[in-house]
Amino acid sequence: MRTRPDGRTEPALPTGEEKTRRVRSMFDAIAPRYDLVNRVMTLGLDQGWRRATVSGLGLAPGSLVLDLACGTGDLSALARRAGLRTLGADLSWGMLAANHRGGPLVQCDAAQLPVTSASIDGLVCGYGLRNFTDLAGSMAEAARVLRPGGRLALLEVAAPPSGALRAGHRLWFEHVVPFLGGVLSDRDAYHYLPRSTAYLPDEVALRQLLLDVGFSGVGRRLLAGGLSQLLVATRSGLPDGALGRSAT
Ligand SMILES: C[S@@+](CC[C@H](N)C(=O)[O-])C[C@H]1O[C@@H](n2cnc3c(N)ncnc32)[C@H](O)[C@@H]1O
């Protein structure tokens, strides 16, 4: 148990099947107002971060991109606007039901993708990593479905490295977001959001994980001074400079 700043106690973060079950039912519950809360709690910055994620792929129009943990489909929509073809995958039926952005969708766990090996040109994942029960298994699946030379772009929460922005972010993320989430959507879900960052490996561990499962050229960029982070990498298997359909 942990005591919250408001004095209420909360249980330890779930793991294993219990985490999968709780994460799925939480996203089922918040799906109808998910986009609205996102825009409000990021003051509209989130779509710019998703645009950076799609362009971080550096893929040519017509390339096939898997939007892993696609949710309501914001990344897929931006990818299609950039001329890419998309397939969306998510654990939550509620999020998929709220996804009206078009394109094929599949319900599955990120650690078991119903996708042929080496059949995908690019993979994006927006704010999904810390929700996965098996992060290493999910990244291994990402590597399996990407063709050699295929591109990966992972968008996640972060914290500004230091200074006033860090303090302001902490106040916003740990207090204002749960309050706004409670008013607009589901109080417990948006209390869980800041806590769920505890599942996220640090930069070094995340880089090593990607290298271990078969990616190379791992790069990381902080967005808006560290409010979010973008990791990009290339599926190993082709010599540098032989990236097939890549536009970069
Ligand atoms: C914070 S939302 C992000 C949605 C969307 N990518 C975006 O950028 O707004 C996280 C998503 O991850 C999905 N998710 C959580 N665990 C998952 C898993 N094990 N496999 C696939 N999707 C998962 C949730 O259902 C939810 O839609």
Side-chain angles (χ1 to χ4, degrees):
M1 297 285 270
R2 195 188 87 125
T3 306
R4 288 203 311 224
D6 62 6
R8 293 173 65 183
T9 54
E10 55 197 351
L13 286 169
T15 56
E17 283 181 17
E18 171 68 2
K19 178 178 179 186
T20 305
R21 195 184 59 73
R22 298 231 327 241
V23 164
R24 181 168 37 212
S25 66
M26 179 185 79
F27 282 105
D28 283 346
I30 66 173
R33 309 201 89 187
Y34 175 80
D35 292 345
L36 169 69
V37 179
N38 259 356
R39 300 299 178 271
V40 171
M41 75 184 185
T42 67
L43 304 175
L45 292 170
D46 59 321
Q47 285 296 74
W49 300 335
R50 289 191 183 83
R51 269 190 289 278
T53 305
V54 171
S55 64
L57 290 174
L59 289 170
S63 301
L64 179 60
V65 172
L66 175 63
D67 181 1
L68 183 61
C70 61
T72 55
D74 276 341
L75 270 170
S76 301
L78 292 168
R80 276 205 306 288
R81 209 174 291 168
L84 303 166
R85 295 176 296 134
T86 63
L87 165 66
D90 201 281
L91 181 71
S92 156
W93 287 107
M95 292 295 269
L96 291 171
N99 184 326
H100 304 298
R101 282 10 191 275
L105 299 173
V106 62
Q107 190 278 336
C108 63
D109 192 302
Q112 285 180 298
L113 297 174
V115 176
T116 305
S117 299
S119 62
I120 301 286
D121 300 309
L123 188 147
V124 289
C125 181
Y127 305 108
L129 303 187
R130 67 194 187 284
N131 292 297
F132 296 161
T133 300
D134 179 4
L135 178 58
S138 301
M139 291 302 96
E141 274 294 83
R144 180 185 66 77
V145 301
L146 279 167
R147 64 170 168 80
R151 295 280 293 159
L152 177 76
L154 306 172
L155 177 63
E156 253 307 338
V157 294
S162 60
L165 193 54
R166 187 178 178 89
H169 170 262
R170 190 165 176 191
L171 181 71
W172 183 263
F173 202 52
E174 293 187 5
H175 298 278
V176 179
V177 164
F179 172 76
L180 290 174
V183 170
L184 297 170
S185 180
D186 180 295
R187 178 186 167 93
D188 286 342
Y190 287 92
H191 267 287
Y192 171 80
L193 174 61
R195 293 189 71 209
S196 68
T197 58
Y199 287 115
L200 201 58
D202 65 22
E203 177 188 351
V204 174
L206 213 41
R207 277 179 191 274
Q208 191 58 52
L209 170 56
L210 294 178
L211 293 173
D212 289 346
V213 298
F215 289 98
S216 59
V218 180
R220 179 177 180 264
R221 180 153 78 91
L222 294 180
L223 304 171
L227 302 184
S228 276
Q229 58 179 317
L230 174 61
L231 283 121
V232 294
T234 301
R235 177 72 174 100
S236 306
L238 282 182
D240 285 350
L243 296 185
R245 300 171 80 169
S246 171
T248 54

